[in-house]
């Protein structure tokens, strides 16, 4: 079994954090591939990373599915409650985290364009989504109640790490999002965060 990915993809990082949190890093090697060459991605018709390749050649994707597969099949369900409010809170948190990543990706694409070609309405609209999610995470704290991170917390942690990495002006700040910023300060100290950081450019 191996995880195919790129070192800077936040979707890949989320899955790698789960692998580390479950103590599976030795068992599931991380294989860096080039998206341009589509190496080894034929098992995933979407040709996206992360893709988890199983020993029988089957592929598990996309990131929320891989996270659940790892936890259910190899993790004994430690990171996601089988049912009840904790399960749905974690899955909705994961959806909000992916929303940050999708919106953040669109903002970044625009910001990388020459200034004259940037679609400012896209930047405003997508930045507003990120801010709305951060406000929701601030005002509804159920997702961060558990002392040990679950899949929802890991996804949110990976999304906030992405904001600090690529779009620091949109990341949560102590002055404006004190609960989220304080939670992330603690989360960022975890070994799984250090082990999955992108190498310096
Ligand atoms: N919904 C997917 C998104 C994954 C994704 O967009 N990955 C990007 C890298 S960050 C990718 O593989 N892009 C290549 C492509 O779309 O062809 C997931 O959660 O796994």
């Amino acid at each position: 079994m191996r995880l195919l990915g790129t070192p800077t993809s936040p979707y890949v990082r989320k899955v790698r954090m789960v692998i580390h949190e479950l103590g599976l890093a030795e068992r599931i090697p991380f294989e860096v591939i080039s998206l341009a060459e589509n190496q080894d991605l034929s098992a995933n018709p979407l040709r996206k990373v992360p893709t988890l390749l199983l020993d029988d050649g089957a592929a598990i994707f996309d990131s929320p599915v891989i996270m659940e597969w790892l936890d259910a099949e190899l993790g004994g369900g430690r990171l996601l409650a089988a049912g009840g409010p904790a399960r749905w809170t974690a899955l909705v948190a994961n959806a909000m985290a992916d929303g940050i990543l999708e919106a953040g990706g669109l903002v970044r694409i625009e910001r990388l364009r020459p200034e004259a070609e940037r679609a400012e309405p896209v930047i405003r609209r997508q930045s507003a989504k990120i801010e709305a999610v951060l406000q929701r995470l601030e005002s509804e704290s159920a997702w961060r109640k558990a002392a040990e991170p679950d899949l929802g917390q890991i996804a949110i942690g990976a999304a906030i790490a992405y904001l600090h990495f690529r779009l620091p002006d949109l990341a949560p700040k102590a002055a404006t999002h004190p609960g989220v910023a304080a939670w992330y300060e603690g989360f960022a100290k975890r070994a799984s965060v250090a082990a999955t950081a992108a190498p310096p450019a």
Side-chain angles (χ1 to χ4, degrees):
M1 193 184 314
R2 56 209 164 103
L3 180 74
L4 306 183
T6 56
T8 53
S9 162
Y11 299 97
V12 172
R13 188 173 190 193
K14 189 157 66 105
V15 169
R16 292 179 66 208
M17 283 179 183
V18 169
I19 288 174
H20 279 270
E21 292 288 345
L22 290 175
L24 297 169
E26 304 248 310
R27 183 162 167 197
I28 308 179
F30 173 49
E31 194 172 314
V32 175
I33 63 160
S34 153
L35 282 173
E37 291 162 26
N38 271 342
Q39 289 161 305
D40 256 358
L41 272 181
S42 53
N44 178 348
L46 299 171
R47 304 290 193 266
K48 282 182 190 261
V49 292
T51 293
L52 181 69
L53 281 187
L54 305 187
D55 292 338
D56 64 2
I60 307 288
F61 50 90
D62 55 13
S63 60
V65 181
I66 302 175
M67 290 162 81
E68 252 196 90
W69 188 93
L70 290 166
D71 188 50
E73 300 295 329
L74 305 178
R78 192 154 67 75
L79 297 181
L80 184 63
R87 176 181 182 82
W88 307 112
T89 297
L91 291 177
V92 170
N94 196 359
M96 286 195 280
D98 281 357
I100 287 179
L101 298 182
E102 281 159 25
L106 293 171
V107 170
R108 193 165 137 75
I109 288 170
E110 292 307 321
R111 285 187 177 175
L112 288 173
R113 295 188 207 283
E115 210 170 331
E117 292 169 27
R118 275 180 211 156
E120 291 297 338
V122 172
I123 294 179
R124 275 197 300 278
R125 190 173 142 80
Q126 300 302 329
S127 302
K129 285 178 196 277
I130 294 171
E131 178 53 25
V133 168
L134 294 179
Q135 280 179 18
R136 176 70 61 91
L137 294 172
E138 186 66 30
S139 62
E140 290 180 14
S141 57
W143 65 274
R144 59 178 194 266
K145 281 278 185 304
E148 282 302 307
D150 63 4
L151 288 190
Q153 288 193 25
I154 293 170
I156 296 292
I160 295 176
Y162 170 80
L163 293 176
H164 282 290
F165 178 48
R166 294 293 198 200
L167 303 165
D169 56 310
L170 300 181
K173 312 279 183 316
T176 44
H177 315 89
V180 178
W183 171 84
Y184 181 71
E185 205 181 312
F187 180 83
K189 294 186 180 124
R190 296 188 73 83
S192 60
V193 177
T196 57

